[in-house]
mmCIF file with all atom_site columns, all heavy atoms in Angstrom:
data_model
loop_
_atom_site.group_PDB
_atom_site.id
_atom_site.type_symbol
_atom_site.label_atom_id
_atom_site.label_alt_id
_atom_site.label_comp_id
_atom_site.label_asym_id
_atom_site.label_entity_id
_atom_site.label_seq_id
_atom_site.pdbx_PDB_ins_code
_atom_site.Cartn_x
_atom_site.Cartn_y
_atom_site.Cartn_z
_atom_site.occupancy
_atom_site.B_iso_or_equiv
_atom_site.pdbx_formal_charge
_atom_site.auth_seq_id
_atom_site.auth_comp_id
_atom_site.auth_asym_id
_atom_site.auth_atom_id
_atom_site.pdbx_PDB_model_num
ATOM   1  N  N   . GLY A 1 332 ? -15.123 -16.349 -1.753 1.00 87.00 ? 332 GLY A N   1
ATOM   2  C  CA  . GLY A 1 332 ? -15.758 -15.704 -0.604 1.00 87.00 ? 332 GLY A CA  1
ATOM   3  C  C   . GLY A 1 332 ? -16.414 -16.698 0.336  1.00 87.00 ? 332 GLY A C   1
ATOM   4  O  O   . GLY A 1 332 ? -16.533 -16.455 1.532  1.00 87.00 ? 332 GLY A O   1
ATOM   5  N  N   . ILE A 1 333 ? -16.850 -17.821 -0.211 1.00 85.00 ? 333 ILE A N   1
ATOM   6  C  CA  . ILE A 1 333 ? -17.451 -18.839 0.647  1.00 85.00 ? 333 ILE A CA  1
ATOM   7  C  C   . ILE A 1 333 ? -16.417 -19.318 1.673  1.00 85.00 ? 333 ILE A C   1
ATOM   8  O  O   . ILE A 1 333 ? -16.720 -19.507 2.836  1.00 85.00 ? 333 ILE A O   1
ATOM   9  C  CB  . ILE A 1 333 ? -17.966 -20.023 -0.209 1.00 85.00 ? 333 ILE A CB  1
ATOM   10 C  CG1 . ILE A 1 333 ? -19.167 -19.555 -1.038 1.00 85.00 ? 333 ILE A CG1 1
ATOM   11 C  CG2 . ILE A 1 333 ? -18.350 -21.211 0.675  1.00 85.00 ? 333 ILE A CG2 1
ATOM   12 C  CD1 . ILE A 1 333 ? -19.710 -20.583 -1.993 1.00 85.00 ? 333 ILE A CD1 1
ATOM   13 N  N   . PHE A 1 334 ? -15.164 -19.441 1.221  1.00 76.00 ? 334 PHE A N   1
ATOM   14 C  CA  . PHE A 1 334 ? -14.139 -20.037 2.077  1.00 76.00 ? 334 PHE A CA  1
ATOM   15 C  C   . PHE A 1 334 ? -13.197 -19.044 2.733  1.00 76.00 ? 334 PHE A C   1
ATOM   16 O  O   . PHE A 1 334 ? -12.449 -19.406 3.627  1.00 76.00 ? 334 PHE A O   1
ATOM   17 C  CB  . PHE A 1 334 ? -13.311 -21.037 1.263  1.00 76.00 ? 334 PHE A CB  1
ATOM   18 C  CG  . PHE A 1 334 ? -14.112 -22.181 0.764  1.00 76.00 ? 334 PHE A CG  1
ATOM   19 C  CD1 . PHE A 1 334 ? -14.558 -22.223 -0.547 1.00 76.00 ? 334 PHE A CD1 1
ATOM   20 C  CD2 . PHE A 1 334 ? -14.464 -23.214 1.626  1.00 76.00 ? 334 PHE A CD2 1
ATOM   21 C  CE1 . PHE A 1 334 ? -15.328 -23.281 -1.000 1.00 76.00 ? 334 PHE A CE1 1
ATOM   22 C  CE2 . PHE A 1 334 ? -15.228 -24.266 1.169  1.00 76.00 ? 334 PHE A CE2 1
ATOM   23 C  CZ  . PHE A 1 334 ? -15.665 -24.305 -0.139 1.00 76.00 ? 334 PHE A CZ  1
ATOM   24 N  N   . GLY A 1 373 ? -19.933 -13.444 0.636  1.00 91.00 ? 373 GLY A N   1
ATOM   25 C  CA  . GLY A 1 373 ? -19.205 -14.511 1.316  1.00 91.00 ? 373 GLY A CA  1
ATOM   26 C  C   . GLY A 1 373 ? -19.149 -14.339 2.823  1.00 91.00 ? 373 GLY A C   1
ATOM   27 O  O   . GLY A 1 373 ? -19.011 -15.313 3.558  1.00 91.00 ? 373 GLY A O   1
ATOM   28 N  N   . LEU A 1 374 ? -19.264 -13.071 3.286  1.00 90.00 ? 374 LEU A N   1
ATOM   29 C  CA  . LEU A 1 374 ? -19.224 -12.832 4.732  1.00 90.00 ? 374 LEU A CA  1
ATOM   30 C  C   . LEU A 1 374 ? -20.414 -13.479 5.431  1.00 90.00 ? 374 LEU A C   1
ATOM   31 O  O   . LEU A 1 374 ? -20.416 -13.671 6.633  1.00 90.00 ? 374 LEU A O   1
ATOM   32 C  CB  . LEU A 1 374 ? -19.233 -11.337 5.029  1.00 90.00 ? 374 LEU A CB  1
ATOM   33 C  CG  . LEU A 1 374 ? -17.990 -10.553 4.641  1.00 90.00 ? 374 LEU A CG  1
ATOM   34 C  CD1 . LEU A 1 374 ? -18.193 -9.080  4.958  1.00 90.00 ? 374 LEU A CD1 1
ATOM   35 C  CD2 . LEU A 1 374 ? -16.788 -11.079 5.396  1.00 90.00 ? 374 LEU A CD2 1
ATOM   36 N  N   . THR A 1 376 ? -21.860 -16.439 4.407  1.00 88.00 ? 376 THR A N   1
ATOM   37 C  CA  . THR A 1 376 ? -22.010 -17.870 4.134  1.00 88.00 ? 376 THR A CA  1
ATOM   38 C  C   . THR A 1 376 ? -21.079 -18.691 5.022  1.00 88.00 ? 376 THR A C   1
ATOM   39 O  O   . THR A 1 376 ? -19.984 -18.258 5.319  1.00 88.00 ? 376 THR A O   1
ATOM   40 C  CB  . THR A 1 376 ? -21.643 -18.202 2.665  1.00 88.00 ? 376 THR A CB  1
ATOM   41 O  OG1 . THR A 1 376 ? -20.227 -18.078 2.508  1.00 88.00 ? 376 THR A OG1 1
ATOM   42 C  CG2 . THR A 1 376 ? -22.361 -17.314 1.682  1.00 88.00 ? 376 THR A CG2 1
ATOM   43 N  N   . PRO A 1 377 ? -21.528 -19.879 5.434  1.00 76.00 ? 377 PRO A N   1
ATOM   44 C  CA  . PRO A 1 377 ? -20.599 -20.805 6.053  1.00 76.00 ? 377 PRO A CA  1
ATOM   45 C  C   . PRO A 1 377 ? -19.677 -21.382 4.983  1.00 76.00 ? 377 PRO A C   1
ATOM   46 O  O   . PRO A 1 377 ? -20.019 -21.266 3.811  1.00 76.00 ? 377 PRO A O   1
ATOM   47 C  CB  . PRO A 1 377 ? -21.520 -21.905 6.621  1.00 76.00 ? 377 PRO A CB  1
ATOM   48 C  CG  . PRO A 1 377 ? -22.758 -21.832 5.795  1.00 76.00 ? 377 PRO A CG  1
ATOM   49 C  CD  . PRO A 1 377 ? -22.862 -20.441 5.278  1.00 76.00 ? 377 PRO A CD  1
ATOM   50 N  N   . VAL A 1 379 ? -16.791 -20.039 6.337  1.00 73.00 ? 379 VAL A N   1
ATOM   51 C  CA  . VAL A 1 379 ? -16.075 -18.893 6.873  1.00 73.00 ? 379 VAL A CA  1
ATOM   52 C  C   . VAL A 1 379 ? -16.922 -17.654 6.624  1.00 73.00 ? 379 VAL A C   1
ATOM   53 O  O   . VAL A 1 379 ? -17.009 -17.176 5.505  1.00 73.00 ? 379 VAL A O   1
ATOM   54 C  CB  . VAL A 1 379 ? -14.698 -18.705 6.189  1.00 73.00 ? 379 VAL A CB  1
ATOM   55 C  CG1 . VAL A 1 379 ? -13.969 -17.526 6.816  1.00 73.00 ? 379 VAL A CG1 1
ATOM   56 C  CG2 . VAL A 1 379 ? -13.887 -19.965 6.301  1.00 73.00 ? 379 VAL A CG2 1
ATOM   57 N  N   . GLY A 1 380 ? -17.571 -17.147 7.641  1.00 79.00 ? 380 GLY A N   1
ATOM   58 C  CA  . GLY A 1 380 ? -18.428 -15.988 7.454  1.00 79.00 ? 380 GLY A CA  1
ATOM   59 C  C   . GLY A 1 380 ? -18.561 -15.223 8.750  1.00 79.00 ? 380 GLY A C   1
ATOM   60 O  O   . GLY A 1 380 ? -19.450 -15.478 9.556  1.00 79.00 ? 380 GLY A O   1
HETATM 61 NA NA1 . LIG D 2 .   ? -18.102 -17.341 3.573  1.00 67.82 ? 502 LIG D NA1 1
#
Side-chain angles (χ1 to χ4, degrees):
Chain A
I333 291 176
F334 297 101
L374 291 178
T376 71
V379 182

